[in-house]
Amino acid sequence: FESLKEIMGRTINEISEIASGKGSQRFIKSGFSNLDRALGGMGKGALIIVAARPGMGKTAFALNIAQKAAFIYKVPSAVFSLEMSKEEVGNRILSSQALVNSAHLRTGALSNEDCTKISKALPLLYNTEIYVDDRSGTNVVEMLSKCRQLKLEGRLGLVIVDYLQLMSSANSKN
C-alpha cells in the first residue's frame, strides 16, 4: 500500500511537468491529433481497446498508429498480428506509407507512379522500428516474454495486439 499523500505528491509533480511542456514525452502520440487531444496521448501502461464491427478498419487504424508512433515520434512498436502474416502487415504499412492501393501491391498491377512512390517510401520504412510477430496461438506469457526482450534492448515503446480474441491463454491446450 501507498498513502494518498505520496500518490498526490507524484501526481501534482507530473501535472506540473506536463503543463510546463516537460512531461509530454511520457505519452505516446497516435499521430491523430483529435484522438491525442481526447486521450491526452497514450500513457505508459495504458490499455486502449479499439472495437468495432468487422471490416470497419480496426487493423488499418492500429497499424497507422504503430507506423506514426515509430516513424514520426521515434517510438519503437511491436505488433502482434494473430490474424495476418508478417507479409500482409508489411503490405499494409507499405501501402499506407507510399499511398499506393494495397490491391496493386498484392496483384503486382503497379504503375510507374506506384513504383516511384514505393521506392521513396522504402528507405523511410527500413529505418522505422516496427517489429511484427505473426504466430497464431501466441499466449500472454509468450507475448510478455517477447515484449520484455524488446524492452531490455531499448526497442519497445508501444505494443499492438491485432485480434485479441485469437490469443490463447497460457493454460490452453490449443
Side-chain angles (χ1 to χ4, degrees):
F1 285 110
E2 190 173 3
S3 76
L4 190 57
K5 179 181 178 180
E6 293 168 327
I7 295 168
M8 286 299 109
R10 278 197 316 275
T11 301
I12 294 301
N13 288 338
E14 188 174 301
I15 291 169
S16 176
E17 285 180 16
I18 291 168
S20 69
K22 297 176 187 171
S24 61
Q25 63 272 19
R26 288 191 180 133
F27 299 95
I28 298 168
K29 293 184 178 180
S30 68
F32 295 92
S33 56
N34 288 341
L35 179 63
D36 290 336
R37 272 193 299 281
L39 295 177
M42 296 177 287
K44 181 179 178 181
L47 172 64
I48 299 168
I49 297 175
V50 177
R53 294 188 325 264
M56 298 303 293
K58 297 176 298 292
T59 297
F61 176 63
L63 290 177
N64 273 315
I65 289 174
Q67 184 179 345
K68 289 178 183 215
F71 181 68
I72 298 170
Y73 304 111
K74 307 301 182 211
V75 175
S77 302
V79 176
F80 291 91
S81 177
L82 306 177
E83 188 176 39
M84 296 188 310
S85 70
K86 293 174 186 176
E87 291 74 21
E88 289 173 300
V89 171
N91 183 309
R92 282 188 172 213
I93 291 173
L94 176 59
S95 170
S96 174
Q97 185 68 40
L99 301 175
V100 171
N101 186 321
S102 63
H104 294 175
L105 293 175
R106 284 191 307 273
T107 62
L110 299 167
S111 67
N112 288 338
E113 183 183 356
D114 290 339
C115 292
T116 301
K117 289 177 179 180
I118 290 168
S119 66
K120 287 180 181 177
L122 281 176
L124 301 172
L125 292 174
Y126 284 153
N127 296 313
T128 300
E129 285 191 274
I130 297 177
Y131 305 97
V132 181
D133 183 315
D134 67 351
R135 288 187 327 119
S136 61
T138 296
N139 66 49
V140 177
V141 174
E142 293 169 334
M143 202 173 285
L144 183 59
S145 174
K146 290 177 182 188
C147 287
R148 281 187 178 144
Q149 183 62 41
L150 284 173
K151 188 70 172 176
L152 284 172
E153 296 168 1
R155 300 185 300 155
L156 185 66
L158 175 67
V159 178
I160 291 178
V161 180
D162 185 26
Y163 217 140
L164 194 60
Q165 292 155 315
L166 294 179
M167 190 184 333
S168 64
S169 70
N171 295 333
S172 91
K173 304 290 183 196
N174 296 359

